[in-house]
Structure formats: C-alpha cells, structure tokens
C-alpha cells in the first residue's frame, strides 16, 4: 500500500472511530465519504489487495438479505469485507474495505444506480444481479434506464468474471446472453404460481421485439417462466433452481435446491417466495465462489433475517414483526406473506418520502393492501406521509373508526403496542428510513442491538 493511501486510510478510520465514540452512528459511511471525496481511486487499490477478489450483489429487492445469506455460507471459508450495515453506495463500500484490512474476499451489496461505477473500480470476480422492479422513479428513472446502465457495465466485465442472474426476470436474464461464464437461477414449481400478472407488474414486454410475454408461471411481480409468442425469446435454462416448494406460513420455506453440484432439501427459516429467490441468488453466487453444497445448505438452514426484513422483536409480553416495504413488488410480497401466515390484528404502516425512500409516494396505489385491510382490526398509519396512507386505505373501504393517523413514529409504535393484545404481535410495515427510525427507537429501549452490531 502506497504512502498516500496509508495516510488517507488512517485518517478515514480515525473519523469512523470518532463518529462511534461521539454517538453519531456506527461510522459505517463517514470514513468512506471522506476517502471517496479525497481520492476516489482508493477503492480500486483497496479492492485490488483482496486475495480472493470481490463479489458484488445488486437488485431492487433482496440484495441485503442475499448478501447476509452469502455471509452465512462463506464466513468459515473466507475472511470477509462485508457491508452488513447496508451502506451500499460508493462511500459505504469504501468504508467497508477500510474496516477490513485483513479480509480475503469483498462481499459487497451495491445500490442499483451505483453498480456500474463500483464494477468498473473493483473489477469483481463475481457479479450477482437479482431483479429490477420499479423503485424510486424520481431518483432512478424508468426500469429501462437502470437496465441500460447495467447492460453497459456488464459489457465491460472481464470474460474471467462470473455473472449470476435471475433467469425469471427478463431484463436481468438478458444481460447474461452470450456470456460463457454465467449462472442462471429461478423457480421451478408452477403449483405456487399466480393465476396472472399483477396489475403493478413491470417487465411485461419482450426485451427483443416489444411484444407481450406469455407466462407459463408467474411467481413474484413479473418474475416467472415467460416466453414471447412473437419472436420466441424465453426464459433460459436454469442452472440453479428451487422445486417442490413448501411455504410454511410465517415460519419457513422448504424446497429442493437443484444445483450442478447436486440436489438437497433445504429448510430456510424465512417465509415467502421472495426469500426463496434470495436463497437461490446466494446459492448461485456461493457456487461461483467455490462453496460446497453442504456449506450452502448449512448456511441457509441457520440463517436469521437481515435487520428490518422479516425481523421479530420481543417487547415484553408482546412481539413486533417488521417487514420492510419500499416499492409495489416488495410490498405486495410482504402482504402475500402475511396473508398466507396470518395477518396480525393490529398493524402499523409507516411511509416516509426521504431520498432513500423515494420522494414520489404514488406507488402505494399500486400495492394490493386489500387482504390486510380485510383481516386487520386496527391500523395505525405513521411517518411523514401518513395522510397519504390514510387516504389510500379510506378509498379501499377501511373503516375510519379503526384507522388512526399518528405521524410521529415513537407515538405510533406506542399506540400500536397499546392496541396489541398481551401475547400478540404487532405487524409493522415501514419504508426504509421509517424502518431505521423504528429500529433506533427499539435500540433506545434495549429491545435490539444497533444494526451495525448485528453481525459482529
């Protein structure tokens, strides 16, 4: 390491320590922000020193959970530089590489928009691309804009690098077309398919000719077994698949994991088809990093949810079940999971509109909240845009007498718990910054540890 980089990294680490001591957070992004501003090329040098290279994970939904699954699988094989705090912009990645000078492998969750720049700088050994859903349109633009940025980035990827793609997403699967080093994963259980595309489905039209896709199976949003009747473009063959899937309410997902290394029955202690997709992404990426099937099955079987993503928190004689929602596809799957496992009688749904959430909150009108509204007895809406949620639910016919608008998150959490019976569970569905605030409240009450300590 050069003298300049040594000085820069020492200064940046010192800033992180000061941030933690001062109680200003976990110091997860501030050191990297400083380093990125002073010398963006430092990321290149920090990544180049990792003897086992770098694995990047990106997706609209599921990248934090997929990365956490990978950490569980790979933790005994490699010393990891892993951004477990979710700081997934260039500054957070710089901080992660700074904080793990003895790491073998970089395991980096990357924001969709930041991915091309990060790929160019770290020269990854493996890139895992999960899905593209409509999300934060005010920041990202339409899906095709992100897909085009990803396509350009993949075109510059070294032929030696492995590309892992979700074959059930037409936009993502197409990125691996023609690459010799690629792994494709997807679901193979039509029993669990939806009867048709949801109205909020995104990629409905062929990436080759623009004609509408025909689906043999629709699993999550626009993900499924698709084919274009006009030109024949279809889902590619699966290298890694989940079949014979048994969704066990809110407790687990059990499935046959089919891989080039063999087939194994997996019990994943998380609910929902979207988590089966996350497990497939982790499996394919782990295989690309030389993990054995036994290591993968063990890692998935002992996995615990990433913070805020199906997280259960004990609060005295009550429980809190937190499921992050941030776009129509993810929110619809959270609703589907609760519907199949039993909707809590009291719900707290929180909507913020900060940059990390997306300023445009019109997406709530594309979420099929109705199954929750039919089953819940009381709903508390909160956050900076609580009024919009109240309007959405009122239009859907939820009784005003059972709906409370409490913008302050601390007060809303207290009210939600007050309405929850002893021994019961409060269902909490927050957007990203609301989730962080609610967890901070839980931390202040000694209910959970800060998220940056969760994996330590």
């Amino acid at each position: 390491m050069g003298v300049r980089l040594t000085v820069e990294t020492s200064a940046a680490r010192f800033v992180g320590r000061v941030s933690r001591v001062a109680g200003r957070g976990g110091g997860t992004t501030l050191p990297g922000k400083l380093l990125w501003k002073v010398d963006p090329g430092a990321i290149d040098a920090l990544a180049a020193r990792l003897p086992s290279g770098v694995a990047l994970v990106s997706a609209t939904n599921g990248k934090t959970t997929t990365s956490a699954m990978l950490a569980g699988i790979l933790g005994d094989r490699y010393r990891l530089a892993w951004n477990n705090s979710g700081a997934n912009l260039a500054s957070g990645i710089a901080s992660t590489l700074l904080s793990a000078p003895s790491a073998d492998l970089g395991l980096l969750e990357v924001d969709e928009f930041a991915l091309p720049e990060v790929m160019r700088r770290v020269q990854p050994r493996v890139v895992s691309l999960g899905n593209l859903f409509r999300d934060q349109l005010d920041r990202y633009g339409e899906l095709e804009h992100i897909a085009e940025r990803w396509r350009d980035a993949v075109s510059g990827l070294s032929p030696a690098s492995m590309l892992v793609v979700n074959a059930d997403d037409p936009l993502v699967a197409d990125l691996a077309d023609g690459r010799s080093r690629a792994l494709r994963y997807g679901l193979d259980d039509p029993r669990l398919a939806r009867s048709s595309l949801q109205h909020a489905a995104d990629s409905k039209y062929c990436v080759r000719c623009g004609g509408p896709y025909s689906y043999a199976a629709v699993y999550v949003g626009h993900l499924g077994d698709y084919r274009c009747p006009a030109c024949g473009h279809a889902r590619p063959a699966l290298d890694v698949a989940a079949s014979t899937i048994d969704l066990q309410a809110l407790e687990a997902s059990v499935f046959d994991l089919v891989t080039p290394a063999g087939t194994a029955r997996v019990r994943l202690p998380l609910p929902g088809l979207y988590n089966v997709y996350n497990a497939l992404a982790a499996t394919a990426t782990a295989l690309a990093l030389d993990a054995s099937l036994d290591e993968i099955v063990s890692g998935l079987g002992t996995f615990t949810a990433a913070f805020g993503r199906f997280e259960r928190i004990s609060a005295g004689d009550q429980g809190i079940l937190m499921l992050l929602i941030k776009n129509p596809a993810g929110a619809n799957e959270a609703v589907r999971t609760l519907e199949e496992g039993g909707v809590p009688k009291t719900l707290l749904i929180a909507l913020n509109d900060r940059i990390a959430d997306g300023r445009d909150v019109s997406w709530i009108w594309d979420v099929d909240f109705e199954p929750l509204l039919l089953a819940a007895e009381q709903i508390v809406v909160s956050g900076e845009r609580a009024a919009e949620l109240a309007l959405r639910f009122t239009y859907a016919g939820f009784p005003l007498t059972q709906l409370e608008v409490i913008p302050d998150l601390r007060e809303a959490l207290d009210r939600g718990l007050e309405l929850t019976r002893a021994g019961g569970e409060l269902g909490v569905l927050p957007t990203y910054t609301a989730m962080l605030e609610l967890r901070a409240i839980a931390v202040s009450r000694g209910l959970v540890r800060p998220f940056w300590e969760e994996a330590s």
Side-chain angles (χ1 to χ4, degrees):
M1 187 182 295
V3 174
R4 176 181 173 181
L5 185 60
T6 299
V7 172
E8 290 171 346
T9 56
S10 297
R13 289 185 186 118
F14 176 74
V15 168
R17 288 193 295 271
V18 170
S19 175
R20 286 188 291 273
V21 170
R24 299 296 298 274
T28 55
T29 59
L30 191 57
K33 285 181 179 177
L34 174 62
L35 187 62
W36 179 252
K37 190 173 184 63
V38 171
D39 182 9
I43 289 183
D44 311 41
L46 290 169
R49 73 183 183 181
L50 295 165
S52 297
V54 174
L56 303 181
V57 177
S58 194
T60 305
N61 292 340
K63 52 187 174 288
T64 299
T65 298
T66 297
S67 300
M69 288 177 175
L70 276 165
I73 295 168
L74 301 171
D76 291 335
R77 178 176 284 267
Y78 298 106
R79 295 188 302 274
L80 297 175
W82 168 38
N83 52 342
N84 61 294
S85 69
N88 58 24
L89 298 175
S91 56
I93 288 165
S95 288
T96 298
L97 297 175
L98 275 171
S99 67
S102 61
D104 301 315
L105 176 75
L107 174 57
L108 303 172
E109 167 195 336
V110 188
D111 172 84
E112 306 95 284
F113 202 78
L115 180 67
E117 172 77 1
V118 174
M119 283 178 62
R120 183 177 66 82
R121 290 193 173 279
V122 306
Q123 297 297 303
R125 173 181 169 187
V126 182
V127 178
S128 178
L129 305 178
N131 51 66
L132 282 173
F133 291 109
R134 180 161 43 97
D135 185 54
Q136 298 189 46
L137 293 180
D138 54 313
R139 177 179 168 218
Y140 293 143
E142 295 294 338
L143 283 186
E144 289 75 13
H145 179 52
I146 294 292
E148 191 59 38
R149 286 173 57 85
W150 280 16
R151 188 172 294 110
D152 289 344
V154 168
S155 70
L157 190 62
S158 167
S161 299
M162 179 67 78
L163 182 63
V164 175
V165 296
N166 184 346
D168 289 1
D169 188 319
L171 279 174
V172 173
D174 191 60
L175 299 176
D177 188 54
R179 283 192 69 90
S180 60
R181 289 185 54 76
L183 286 173
R184 300 164 175 86
Y185 65 86
L187 300 188
D188 183 20
D189 194 341
R191 297 176 305 115
L192 298 182
R194 293 182 180 271
S195 57
S196 61
L197 282 171
Q198 297 170 284
H199 73 274
D202 295 308
S203 298
K204 304 176 184 179
Y205 300 100
C206 180
V207 297
R208 301 287 173 81
C209 74
Y213 281 119
S214 173
Y215 279 81
V218 179
Y219 295 115
V220 173
H222 60 265
L223 307 186
D225 184 359
Y226 52 88
R227 184 180 184 278
C228 175
C231 73
H233 178 249
R235 179 177 76 165
L238 304 178
D239 300 302
V240 176
S243 63
T244 320
I245 302 169
D246 177 19
L247 299 178
Q248 300 181 350
L250 295 179
E251 300 307 315
S253 305
V254 182
F255 54 93
D256 285 344
L257 180 61
V258 183
T259 79
T263 299
R265 192 72 173 164
V266 171
R267 184 184 186 278
L268 178 70
L270 288 179
L273 281 179
Y274 57 101
N275 279 314
V276 178
Y277 271 118
N278 293 335
L280 290 175
T283 295
T285 308
L287 289 171
L289 293 166
D290 303 323
S292 69
L293 184 58
D294 286 344
E295 286 174 313
I296 291 168
V297 172
S298 175
L300 294 178
T302 57
F303 180 73
T304 55
F307 68 93
R309 285 85 170 167
F310 199 82
E311 182 177 20
R312 279 194 153 116
I313 299 171
S314 178
D317 61 355
Q318 298 165 310
I320 299 170
L321 173 60
M322 189 178 299
L323 294 89
L324 174 69
I325 60 172
K326 66 191 190 86
N327 53 42
N332 280 333
E333 287 310 302
V335 170
R336 183 182 186 182
T337 298
L338 287 178
E339 184 182 11
E340 292 173 350
V343 177
K345 296 303 181 184
T346 303
L347 296 172
L348 165 58
I349 305 178
L351 178 65
N352 280 351
D353 63 350
R354 300 176 194 173
I355 291 174
D357 306 292
R359 298 290 193 187
D360 183 352
V361 298
S362 62
W363 61 270
I364 64 173
W365 294 90
D366 288 329
V367 179
D368 298 321
F369 284 114
E370 280 66 17
L372 299 186
L373 306 183
L374 289 171
E377 294 178 356
Q378 296 284 336
I379 296 179
V380 178
V381 292
S382 187
E384 294 155 354
R385 303 299 287 271
E388 277 83 352
L389 281 175
L391 182 64
R392 166 70 178 87
F393 298 158
T394 301
Y395 264 91
F398 193 73
L400 285 173
T401 56
Q402 298 166 239
L403 180 66
E404 298 189 32
V405 182
I406 306 177
D408 182 84
L409 286 167
R410 186 179 297 272
E411 294 177 11
L413 179 60
D414 288 340
R415 180 57 176 158
L417 290 170
E418 183 181 335
L419 293 169
T420 302
R421 301 181 182 91
E425 194 166 52
L426 171 65
V428 179
L429 286 79
T431 55
Y432 185 71
T433 63
M435 178 269 288
L436 294 180
E437 287 185 50
L438 287 164
R439 282 197 100 261
I441 294 167
V443 168
S444 71
R445 297 177 179 181
L447 304 179
V448 292
R449 291 191 301 164
F451 63 83
W452 58 83
E453 295 179 2
E454 288 293 295
S456 62

